[in-house]
Amino acid sequence: MNVEKRKRLEAAGWRFGNAADFLGMTPQEEAYVELKLHLADALEAKRKANGLTQKGLAARLQSSQSRVAMMEKGDPSVSIDLLVRGLFALGMRRRELAKAI
Amino acid sequence: MNVEKRKRLEAAGWRFGNAADFLGMTPQEEAYVELKLHLADALEAKRKANGLTQKGLAARLQSSQSRVAMMEKGDPSVSIDLLVRGLFALGMRRRELAKAI
DNA sequence: TCATAGTATATCAGTCCTGATATATTGGCA
DNA sequence: TGCCAATATATCAGGACTGATATACTATGA
């Protein structure tokens, strides 16, 4: 499940989650959500490249499998901070992170 | 005040702020802090390029001048989320953000 | 020197994020 | 089909982040 295929669905979730604005997201909000989805996809890819399950990654992060699932779908309840820390925990460097963005 | 000049100072602040580990940061923690400092510097640069004061930027972000000051020094109490939202509010795009990282 | 704009530091209540738990769903294989 | 590992969804208490306020510091000009 990648950004492109999922974007509309996620965007809808965000839009109606933000009760304040039924007419859509501002460009800033959209940029923020897109960034998050890119990081989420990068996390899933990197996890699989490391041969880990969500549970396994959760252990490394001292978190739970359910939260990792949230992270990988770019859930609104997950911060960019958490995603970035997850990527670093999987051995990603700043250079590679920049590419994923 | 840029990343290179400030790194040691900030790092020290983080190290002793983290009471758990007096022997230094893990590579992940270090990567996280460095990323934050890069974003902080980018924010200051972008704000000045836009001819804004901290107070002016705070208004755009619906935040306060004091928080913007925190953001620009990469304070531990500031999240990457907030920094990123600040950069997007200043008109930065993902491409440019990637460069700043 | 004084005044002023700009920036930095300290503190705090309310909100959002986080890890945890429980449970449901999915996907692959025998 | 039935079983099992892996992933997804729902919920919540506790802690981290945020905006706000007050105040201190700094630099520049008159």
Side-chain angles (χ1 to χ4, degrees), chain A:
Chain A
M1 192 158 62
N2 66 28
V3 171
E4 298 312 323
K5 283 195 287 186
R6 201 183 41 195
K7 208 183 303 185
R8 287 193 168 281
L9 193 59
E10 290 296 331
W14 276 83
R15 178 174 297 116
F16 300 121
N18 275 0
D21 189 358
F22 280 84
L23 297 178
M25 291 182 276
T26 65
Q28 292 102 300
E29 284 174 338
E30 188 175 339
Y32 176 81
V33 172
E34 286 216 350
L35 171 58
K36 201 140 115 176
L37 294 181
H38 278 262
L39 293 175
D41 287 344
L43 184 72
E44 183 176 4
K46 194 78 179 172
R47 170 177 66 81
K48 289 180 175 170
N50 283 32
L52 285 173
T53 64
Q54 290 184 345
K55 198 172 178 181
L57 176 53
R60 278 205 202 180
L61 294 174
Q62 297 193 291
S63 181
S64 58
Q65 175 270 322
S66 61
R67 183 134 307 268
V68 172
M70 302 282 221
M71 289 165 80
E72 290 186 357
K73 86 183 186 72
D75 190 275
S77 82
V78 171
S79 74
I80 288 181
D81 286 62
L82 190 63
L83 286 167
V84 163
R85 289 202 302 271
L87 288 167
F88 285 151
L90 285 170
M92 195 172 263
R93 306 287 181 92
R94 283 222 313 283
R95 181 85 38 131
E96 194 183 353
L97 178 64
K99 273 199 206 164
I101 284 180

Side-chain angles (χ1 to χ4, degrees), chain B residues 5-44:
Chain B
K5 283 196 286 186
R6 200 182 42 196
K7 209 183 304 186
R8 286 193 169 281
L9 193 59
E10 289 296 331
W14 275 82
R15 179 174 295 117
F16 300 122
N18 275 0
D21 188 357
F22 279 84
L23 296 178
M25 289 182 277
T26 66
Q28 292 101 303
E29 285 174 338
E30 188 174 338
Y32 176 81
V33 173
E34 286 216 350
L35 171 58
K36 201 140 111 174
L37 293 181
H38 277 263
L39 293 175
D41 287 344
L43 184 71
E44 183 176 3

